[in-house]
Amino acid sequence: MNHKLELQHITKTYITEEGEMTALDGVNLEVKPAEFLCIIGPSGCGKTTLLRMVAGLDHPTSGTIILDGKEVKCASPDRGMVFQEFSLFPWRKVLKNVEFGLEISGMRDKERQAIAEKYIALVGLQGFENHYPYELSGGMKQRVAIARALATEPSILLMDEPFGSVDAQTRNILQEELLEIWARTKKTILFVTHSVDEAVYLADRVAVMSARPACLVKCLAVDIPRPRKRTSAEANEFRAKLLMWLSLERSKACVTV
Ligand SMILES: Nc1ncnc2c1ncn2[C@@H]1O[C@H](COP(=O)(O)OP(=O)(O)OP(=O)(O)O)[C@@H](O)[C@H]1O
Ligand SMILES: [Mg+2]
């Protein structure tokens, strides 16, 4: 079958003052078109590094990343990224934040405004177009970031713990909204999280990473019908399985998927 994204033997070594530091050590992963794939792993294992490389913002030390049949070599609007920290331009209003990628691509005023308005409505922020980021709550800021990432109509959405900084209730709401957007837009989503609960609620498959130097420990399919109940017996069972894989030592665990 055609894969949307292929990570082939990805290794990343940083040169630091203390010497070489291997963050990722031979990560192999294949993502299907329109798949919702969560990546979970301990802090510092290289999840952000991996996403940045798929975005083309950083490069593997060795290995190849193939998106839509082409090797990823640099950043491009066909990859929308939502970052771990709020990353809006504070001096731009909501509309102008969402228009940003379209502006860079040289699209004309009226056209990009119409597209930005469409995505602002999709994330439920109609009426806030002329607000500055400081006038928004954390959850609203992340909705703007999602609208901005979607506005360039990327073929894949890369999300780095996008709901990590919001309260539990807002996080649940944002997760539900994201699933609706995913169902409507049929985007492929690569979603990094620390949260086992979040992965079980959102993902088609969960890729479990080991501690650094990180490899992929296991890819688990979440065979729970949607819409999912957060506390169903099958969700609890899957959570336990995921926790078991997360607790394995790297040396015992690394696999080639
Ligand atoms: N530019 C850099 N230079 C040197 N080391 C780096 C650089 N970027 C990341 N690292 C190191 O690479 C490792 C992986 O970092 P990364 O940010 O990808 O982890 P993470 O899995 O996203 O962690 P978290 O869950 O805390 O966000 C860490 O040890 C980090 O210190
Ligand atoms: Mg990170």
Side-chain angles (χ1 to χ4, degrees), residues 109-125:
D109 271 22
K110 278 206 169 142
E111 208 180 331
R112 65 175 194 247
Q113 184 174 335
I115 293 174
E117 280 170 354
K118 175 178 127 185
Y119 285 103
I120 289 168
L122 187 72
V123 298
L125 285 180

Side-chain angles (χ1 to χ4, degrees), residues 111-211:
E111 208 180 331
R112 65 175 194 247
Q113 184 174 335
I115 293 174
E117 280 170 354
K118 175 178 127 185
Y119 285 103
I120 289 168
L122 187 72
V123 298
L125 285 180
Q126 227 161 7
F128 289 91
E129 292 83 350
N130 289 314
H131 285 59
Y132 283 100
Y134 74 85
E135 297 175 293
L136 306 178
S137 70
M140 290 160 92
K141 282 184 206 164
Q142 275 315 58
R143 286 192 187 103
V144 178
I146 293 168
R148 185 176 62 184
L150 288 170
T152 54
E153 311 237 318
S155 85
I156 189 165
L157 198 55
L158 308 169
M159 308 188 80
D160 189 5
E161 294 189 51
F163 310 145
S165 322
V166 297
D167 64 273
Q169 205 180 344
T170 307
R171 186 176 189 150
N172 286 357
I173 294 167
L174 289 171
Q175 287 167 353
E176 284 158 27
E177 288 175 1
L178 180 63
L179 286 178
E180 274 172 34
I181 291 170
W182 174 61
R184 260 194 262 174
T185 58
K186 308 268 187 297
K187 295 277 174 223
T188 307
I189 300 184
L190 211 54
F191 187 106
V192 165
T193 182
H194 270 137
S195 160
V196 168
D197 290 1
E198 189 161 66
V200 176
Y201 188 65
L202 294 177
D204 287 329
R205 269 191 314 149
V206 185
V208 182
M209 287 175 74
S210 72

Side-chain angles (χ1 to χ4, degrees), residues 47-49 84 160-161 192:
K47 303 179 295 296
T48 296
T49 302
Q84 201 163 357
D160 189 5
E161 294 189 51
V192 165

